[in-house]
Amino acid sequence: MKMISDTRLMFKRSIKHALRDPIWVFLNLFQPILYLLLFMPLLEGLGGVPGLPEGKTVQVFIPGLLVMLAMFGSAFVGFGLVDEIRTGVIDRFLVTPVHRTAILLGRVLKDVVILLCQCVIVTLIAVPFGLVLDIGGFAVSLLLYAFIAVSMSSMSYGFALIYKSEDTLSSTLNTIALPVSLLSGIMLPLVLAPLWLQTLAGINPFSYAVNASRALFAGNIASPDVLTGFIVIILLAALLFWWAVRSLKKMAA
Amino acid sequence: MPETCIIETNGLKKTYSTKSKGRKKLVEAVKGVDLSVKKGEIYGFLGPNGAGKSTTQKMLSTLIPPTGGAATVNGFDLLREQKKIRMCIGFVSQAGGTDPLSTGFENLIMQARLYGADKDTAKKRAEDFIRRFQMESFADRRASSYSGGQRRRCDIALGMIHHPAILLLDEPTTGLDPQSRAYLWEEIRNLQKDGVSVFLSTHYLDEADKLCDTVAIIDNGEIVAQGAPADLKAGIGADTISLDFATADIAVKSMELLQNAEEVENANAKGNTVHLHVKNMEQVLPSLLRLLDTNRFEAQSIALMKPSLDDVFLKHTGRSLREDNYNENDQ
């Protein structure tokens, strides 16, 4: 099928680019590792408050941190696309018979692969800090992060295709990413939040992802939180990807 | 037998709606263009920036849908047979399209594969084009390190990789140094020899004049004149020969002598200078000079002026394309 072979071509090309400048792959790791080293120790003192069982703060913090990595690691991929619009690469692709969806799908899959590598690295670093790894739960959680990456990178590409400029893209993404991450209970469990904040978090799809991620790290694969998290994030990913493809199709028109 | 057209448009139109000061405004980028590109010719679109050149080319290369009118490209309907059109056209946008993070070779292979070539065929084609466009010395370097001329060569090779019948080039030589320009003109002529029809846009008068078989002058989204450069210029009228003499007296006497020559359409003297309007000045100049010589009138200097495409542009739009380009550079 043309779409699959075109997606493979686009994916290979994007991966090649990423490997040529591996510095970015590691720069993205810098932030979560700093959180791990400089923020997590603060939490240990809080052990015992609701949502943060004593001596197990790392078990609660890491799954949130991984969701944050998935969100922020993928949120700014649109900058590369703006560059390719400017250099005419995207127009050149669009004049060929290439399958339109493949142009974005190849890139999104690249973002997913890079993200999963980063998640594995951060998780392994956390093990010496007392993280107890449930292999089954962790494997399923990687799938969850993959869909978060699809959502966020699709959103980033969608805005890149609409704005075609780094400046507007950067302020839009920051404006969205910051409240969305604050309202997802990434840093601290939302049980600690006042009711109005919890209600607000209830309309944030990523708060469901964080809940699912924590349940998976606790080894509760069968938890209803996991199912809800997956449903919400898969729907979001599908919606945002569809929107990005639509933006590509009507980019010039 | 009539010459076959490879691109034909009928009232092709593009209207954008933009918002300015909160009010919706319709901008007519292309206002109903009728053009026909003959098979095997180099067709030039001459006009200032913002005239609608790029928009027309983008419509013809299926990048943006027209808001009105119809067109056929290589016999296929622009509105209904876009996939077929994509297979038989190459389009090189102003930005180029070479991926700066890949090497020229990788760019070419990827492009060939997007057109459905398998790995081996793609590699072979890429190698062919690297030889043909003399890219051997830089094809294995990343394109971000290319000079303007090298990148342009790669852009055009990318547009040609699937052997299209038509190549659309949007301002291919803008910003290139004279050497690269000359090289590119040669390459475009070679493509024509291979039977490719070329449709290029430009705002350079000499490029339209020297390179193109047919020129369409476009301004404000409309074609104001279309034809072979020589015919367009001939439509302006005569060539001008200006002769300077030592004194006004000699000038008047020379003028009286010359205006009786049958080649001269009209003559007038201003001060020391005589202006002659003639057809085909290259052919009539020697005999006019001989005439002066036998009557012992000595011209001190001669200036020759042919009508240029700029005169054609001026006649149809009331503005000079040259001035337009200067203004644009000032900004």
Side-chain angles (χ1 to χ4, degrees), chain A residues 106-205:
Chain A
R107 304 177 87 93
V108 167
L109 291 178
K110 174 260 308 181
D111 300 329
V112 166
V113 167
I114 289 177
L115 173 82
L116 294 182
C117 296
Q118 292 170 332
C119 285
V120 170
I121 294 174
V122 169
T123 308
L124 291 179
I125 293 176
V127 169
F129 290 88
L131 182 76
V132 181
L133 205 54
D134 177 277
I135 296 296
F138 180 57
V140 179
S141 76
L142 286 178
L143 194 61
L144 182 75
Y145 308 145
F147 281 110
I148 296 176
V150 173
S151 312
M152 289 306 272
S153 57
S154 297
M155 183 188 78
S156 196
Y157 291 138
F159 281 121
L161 289 162
I162 289 172
Y163 295 140
K164 305 181 190 80
S165 113
E166 279 96 351
D167 294 343
T168 339
L169 182 64
S170 136
S171 51
T172 306
L173 292 175
N174 275 316
T175 310
I176 294 176
L178 189 65
V180 164
S181 64
L182 285 177
L183 283 176
S184 62
I186 283 176
M187 292 299 159
L188 293 166
L190 280 165
V191 234
L192 295 172
L195 193 63
W196 63 270
L197 205 56
Q198 289 190 22
T199 319
L200 264 184
I203 52 171
N204 176 8

Side-chain angles (χ1 to χ4, degrees), chain B residues 69-245:
Chain B
T72 55
V73 177
N74 205 18
F76 299 119
D77 187 290
L78 183 63
L79 301 175
R80 288 183 292 110
E81 297 173 294
Q82 295 167 335
K83 282 187 184 161
K84 287 179 183 157
I85 290 178
R86 283 182 194 135
M87 285 308 285
C88 62
I89 59 154
F91 172 62
V92 180
S93 71
Q94 227 166 309
T98 297
D99 169 11
L101 298 177
S102 303
T103 68
F105 187 55
E106 288 167 339
N107 263 293
L108 288 164
I109 287 185
M110 174 83 180
Q111 183 80 346
R113 302 225 43 201
L114 291 178
Y115 280 102
D118 61 50
K119 251 186 203 165
D120 294 337
T121 317
K123 192 167 165 246
K124 208 182 143 285
R125 272 198 216 165
E127 283 162 352
D128 282 351
F129 275 89
I130 285 169
R131 223 170 301 126
R132 169 165 183 186
F133 285 81
Q134 297 171 30
M135 293 167 59
E136 292 97 335
S137 61
F138 56 86
D140 288 325
R141 284 206 327 255
R142 277 213 234 173
S144 50
S145 69
Y146 289 1
S147 71
Q150 290 173 335
R151 172 176 294 224
R152 256 298 175 242
R153 259 187 259 178
C154 189
D155 294 338
I156 293 179
L158 286 169
M160 285 300 302
I161 196 95
H162 55 300
H163 302 291
I166 310 155
L167 184 63
L168 293 119
L169 301 169
D170 191 359
E171 305 209 355
T173 66
T174 298
L176 290 189
D177 59 275
Q179 246 177 321
S180 306
R181 258 182 107 199
Y183 175 86
L184 217 63
W185 282 13
E186 209 36 58
E187 203 47 68
I188 291 170
R189 288 193 185 105
N190 286 339
L191 291 175
Q192 182 183 32
K193 277 180 207 145
D194 294 346
V196 180
S197 312
V198 180
F199 179 3
L200 63 89
S201 73
T202 181
H203 61 248
Y204 294 127
L205 294 160
D206 58 334
E207 188 159 279
D209 204 348
K210 290 187 191 125
L211 185 60
C212 301
D213 303 310
T214 305
V215 170
I217 294 181
I218 183 168
D219 187 44
N220 275 324
E222 281 172 301
I223 291 185
V224 293
Q226 189 168 197
D231 294 343
L232 286 173
K233 288 184 293 187
I236 289 297
D239 304 342
T240 307
I241 301 176
S242 303
L243 300 153
D244 282 338
F245 293 93

